[in-house]
Amino acid sequence: MFDFAVFGSLFLTLFVIMDPPGITPIFLALTSGRPVKVQRRMAWQAVCVAFGVIAVFGLCGQQILDYLHVSVPALMIAGGLLLLLIALDLLTGKTDEPKQTKDVNVALVPLGMPLLAGPGAIVSVILAVQKADGAAAQVSVWAAIIAMHAVLWITMRYSLVIIRVIKDGGVVLVTRLAGMMLSAIAVQQIINGVLQVVQGA
């Protein structure tokens, strides 16, 4: 009742796309300056949002995209633009949002989506669910999705220790580095979307 090949394939694919080690500095940059309890809650919220989005698209993703007449490249470009806006805020050090609103926005956007549950992860899950024949394959697919989100939560949950080590100066440095990394990810995502549009034309 369990297909380890399907589980391993999807888990590794999601690990590369969602990149738990790479999300650590971005999470630290976006949550710096908040109480530890708030940071832990935001880590949990981000993972829950990502899992919810992935689950919905896993169950009826193709139908949603078809109904809205949204193509995968369009989804990639929109996600890339959103990430680019967040990256620019990190690079310029803009922190003028009200704290309450900022807490909610960071947990939902960009952490939950599109950073964790981005177009790449969504498309991978849609394809994996469609290809999974039989109960064993379906169980393996959903086990891989759950396991990946558990890894993401553990990574962000224990990355908070780093904040206590690097102090405020280190957080500023990490924020700038995270902004650079995130901007590169965003631009690459936009490029991939544009290339798919050109190839499909």
Side-chain angles (χ1 to χ4, degrees):
M1 287 296 293
F2 196 85
D3 192 327
F4 284 98
V6 172
F7 174 88
S9 175
L10 182 57
F11 181 84
L12 288 175
T13 300
L14 290 178
F15 190 92
V16 171
I17 293 173
M18 299 176 114
D19 191 16
I23 204 70
T24 300
I26 298 172
F27 175 76
L28 293 177
L30 291 172
T31 61
S32 63
R34 294 173 173 81
V36 174
K37 286 185 178 180
V38 174
Q39 291 171 325
R40 290 175 180 170
R41 186 175 71 245
M42 291 171 69
W44 175 249
Q45 287 175 341
V47 170
C48 287
V49 168
F51 179 78
V53 172
I54 292 291
V56 168
F57 277 95
L59 293 171
C60 48
Q62 195 59 57
Q63 292 88 335
I64 293 173
L65 294 180
D66 291 342
Y67 178 76
L68 296 174
H69 303 290
V70 173
S71 65
V72 172
L75 194 64
M76 295 177 71
I77 294 171
L81 290 172
L82 181 58
L83 289 180
L84 189 58
L85 291 175
I86 303 297
L88 292 174
D89 280 351
L90 291 178
L91 283 169
T92 56
K94 289 176 65 176
T95 56
D96 53 359
E97 279 188 277
K99 193 168 185 182
Q100 186 67 26
T101 305
K102 192 175 180 184
D103 285 350
V104 175
N105 285 345
V106 169
L108 304 181
V109 178
L111 279 176
M113 183 180 181
L115 205 50
L116 296 180
I122 289 172
V123 172
S124 298
V125 168
I126 291 175
L127 294 176
V129 170
Q130 289 177 348
K131 291 178 182 177
D133 295 325
Q138 288 288 342
V139 169
S140 303
V141 164
W142 288 100
I145 293 170
I146 292 171
M148 186 65 247
H149 284 81
V151 169
L152 285 168
W153 178 77
I154 291 170
T155 302
M156 290 190 291
R157 166 70 173 76
Y158 290 99
S159 68
L160 299 177
V161 177
I162 300 174
I163 290 181
R164 293 196 287 272
V165 174
I166 62 177
K167 307 298 183 185
D168 291 343
V171 168
V172 172
L173 177 61
V174 167
T175 300
R176 299 298 180 267
L177 291 174
M180 290 180 60
M181 290 168 51
L182 195 56
S183 61
I185 292 170
V187 170
Q188 186 61 56
Q189 192 163 294
I190 294 170
I191 291 172
N192 292 342
V194 171
L195 287 176
Q196 287 193 26
V197 171
V198 172
Q199 290 170 1

